[in-house]
Amino acid sequence: ELTYVAIIAVYLIVILCLALWIANRWIGDESDFMVSGREMGTTLTAASLVAILLSGGFVPTIVLFGFISGISGGWFFWAWSVGLTLVLISWLGFWRYTGGYTPAEYFEHQHGVSGRLSVLFAILMFGLIAGSFQYLGAGSLIAGALEIETSVAIVAVGVAITAYAILAGIWGISITDFIQAIWVIVAVFVILPLYLWSTQGLP
C-alpha cells in the first residue's frame, strides 16, 4: 500500500511541477491558455487530439471491451484509432485555409454564430458528463489500490486534475496526454505481453 501511495504522490507532484513549468514557459495570455496561441500547427494539433483520446479513453475502454468480448474487444481500439485518424485528416484542409482549430470555429464557419453556440453548448455538456465519469473512475481505481474511501479519492483526483488544467491550459493537456498515450501503448502492447509471456508462456 505504501508503494502505491508513493507512486501516486510522485506522479501528482511531477504533473503539477510540469504544469507550473508550462505556465511560465508558454502561457502569456488567454489565447495561449485556450488554443495554445494557435502555434501548434495542423500536424501537432491532430497528433495531440489523437493522444488525448488514446491516453484518456483507451485503457478503461479496452478493459471494458476485453471483459465483455474477450481478446476480440481489442479490435475496438484499432478501429477507433484508424477512424479518428481519417476524421482528423479530413479536417486538415479546413485548418489550413481558415486558421480555425476548434469544432466551434468549424461550425461557425459553416453555419454562423448559431453553429458556434450549439457546439459550445454540446461540448460543455459532454465535458461535464465525461469529466464526472473520469473523476469517478480514476477515484475508484485509486481508492481500491490505496484502500481508502472512494469519495476521498474522487475529491483528490478532481482537485489535482482541475489544478493542472487551470495552470497549464491546452498546452499542458496536449503535452501530458501525448506522453501518456506513448506510455499506454508501450505498457499495453510491449510491457504487458512480455510480462505475460515470461510468467505464463505463449498462449
Side-chain angles (χ1 to χ4, degrees):
E1 182 177 339
L2 289 177
T3 301
Y4 292 143
V5 171
I7 292 172
I8 293 172
V10 169
Y11 175 78
L12 291 177
I13 291 171
V14 169
I15 285 294
L16 291 177
C17 287
L18 179 61
L20 289 171
W21 179 77
I22 291 171
N24 291 327
R25 172 67 177 80
W26 278 311
I27 298 178
D29 55 30
E30 293 180 0
S31 176
D32 292 332
F33 181 83
M34 296 299 296
V35 291
S36 63
R38 302 182 185 278
E39 296 177 358
M40 293 179 70
T42 54
T43 303
L44 186 56
T45 299
S48 68
L49 287 173
V50 173
I52 286 171
L53 290 178
L54 291 184
S55 62
F58 170 63
V59 172
T61 303
I62 206 69
V63 170
L64 171 64
F65 276 78
F67 178 78
I68 294 174
S69 306
I71 197 166
S72 62
W75 285 107
F76 174 82
F77 164 71
W78 294 112
W80 186 13
S81 301
V82 171
L84 178 62
T85 302
L86 292 175
V87 169
L88 292 173
I89 290 174
S90 70
W91 273 53
L92 290 178
F94 167 77
W95 289 341
R96 288 194 182 101
Y97 79 78
T98 65
Y101 278 77
T102 66
E105 290 171 327
Y106 175 81
F107 278 88
E108 182 177 29
H109 180 77
Q110 298 292 330
H111 306 290
V113 176
S114 60
R116 183 184 186 93
L117 293 176
S118 299
V119 171
L120 289 175
F121 176 76
I123 290 174
L124 177 62
M125 295 304 296
F126 172 78
L128 291 173
I129 295 171
S132 299
F133 280 108
Q134 288 174 347
Y135 286 11
L136 177 61
S140 298
L141 286 173
I142 292 174
L146 303 183
E147 297 182 357
I148 61 176
E149 289 292 331
T150 302
S151 57
V152 174
I154 291 173
V155 171
V157 167
V159 169
I161 294 175
T162 303
Y164 178 82
I166 290 174
L167 287 170
I170 196 65
W171 270 118
I173 292 170
S174 298
I175 291 171
T176 52
D177 278 331
F178 189 75
I179 294 171
Q180 290 177 149
I182 295 173
W183 163 243
V184 165
I185 291 172
V186 171
V188 172
F189 293 107
V190 179
I191 297 175
L192 182 58
L194 289 176
Y195 170 77
L196 291 175
W197 289 339
S198 66
T199 57
Q200 306 296 327
L202 291 173

